[in-house]
Amino acid sequence: MKRVLRTPVGASDHVIGEASAAVTVVEYGDFECPYCAEASSGIHLMLLRYPGSVRFAFRHFPQEDVHPHAVLAAEASEAAAIQGKFWPMHDRLFRRQRNLTRSDLNAVAREIKLDLAAFSLAMDGHVSLTRIKAMAADGRKSGVRSTPTIFINGKPFDVAFDLQHLYDEIDKELAALGK
């Protein structure tokens, strides 16, 4: 199967950056994946380097077979998103990925000042589980098999990258667009 991003970034995605940005980077990630945690640091630096030129979208691809807390962590991020705090939860989950039990997630929810009753209701009701599974299924249709999988303007990017490789690819995309 040829890898290409099947679903463009839309209103339901978790996005940092402007819709008008010339380059869109999409990551399919898993909060318990150590390689995703490493990529997260690089993504933050990328956004600082290309303000206004790059936007970033994160999509869930929990690998339950190797990461037993991945789905629960994804649900916690979505429960935080309901309260407008996806990104603070996203960042803390990657920094604390060895501590992703329900009690650990509750502690993070308190730390980022979520309404704990609403957070618990969302978690207990698994209100975002269908959304998470749909993102993963969409990823599989785009050829995603592992995490992190990154697409730059819809094209797959080799994740065995260093920051310079990422910047080179973004610079190439910007140049092709005359930016």
Side-chain angles (χ1 to χ4, degrees):
M1 172 194 309
K2 182 180 177 189
R3 287 187 351 166
V4 61
L5 187 65
R6 301 277 182 212
T7 305
V9 173
S12 66
D13 282 300
H14 300 293
V15 178
I16 296 175
E18 299 300 318
S20 61
V23 174
T24 299
V25 176
V26 175
E27 175 189 354
Y28 281 89
D30 172 330
F31 288 114
E32 202 168 0
C33 168
Y35 303 112
C36 291
E38 287 179 27
S40 179
S41 299
I43 295 296
H44 282 289
L45 292 171
M46 172 198 72
L47 291 168
L48 290 172
R49 181 177 175 125
Y50 296 99
S53 296
V54 175
R55 72 177 169 157
F56 172 68
F58 181 88
R59 293 179 176 170
H60 299 289
F61 197 83
Q63 298 182 89
E64 301 172 77
D65 53 332
V66 291
H67 300 133
H69 301 102
V71 171
L72 190 64
E75 286 187 274
S77 73
E78 290 297 325
I82 292 167
Q83 297 184 45
K85 294 194 175 182
F86 174 81
W87 293 109
M89 180 65 82
H90 168 278
D91 294 347
R92 281 170 180 81
L93 291 176
F94 278 130
R95 285 197 303 265
R96 298 178 181 179
Q97 67 180 185
R98 293 175 191 216
N99 301 301
L100 297 176
T101 66
R102 178 64 187 266
S103 62
D104 295 322
L105 298 172
N106 290 342
V108 174
R110 276 191 298 281
E111 182 181 310
I112 63 173
K113 300 182 181 0
L114 293 181
D115 174 322
L116 297 179
F119 178 78
S120 289
L121 191 61
M123 294 293 289
D124 294 342
H126 304 284
V127 299
S128 298
L129 190 56
T130 300
R131 172 179 164 74
I132 292 162
K133 289 184 183 273
M135 280 186 196
D138 185 62
R140 284 188 291 281
K141 288 178 187 170
S142 295
V144 176
R145 292 184 303 280
S146 61
T147 57
T149 294
I150 294 178
F151 294 87
I152 299 176
N153 281 352
K155 296 176 286 200
F157 174 70
D158 179 6
V159 296
F161 70 91
D162 57 30
L163 283 178
Q164 191 57 54
H165 185 189
L166 178 65
Y167 297 161
D168 291 347
E169 197 64 30
I170 291 170
D171 289 340
K172 187 174 17 170
E173 285 292 316
L174 290 170
L177 296 166
K179 304 282 181 182

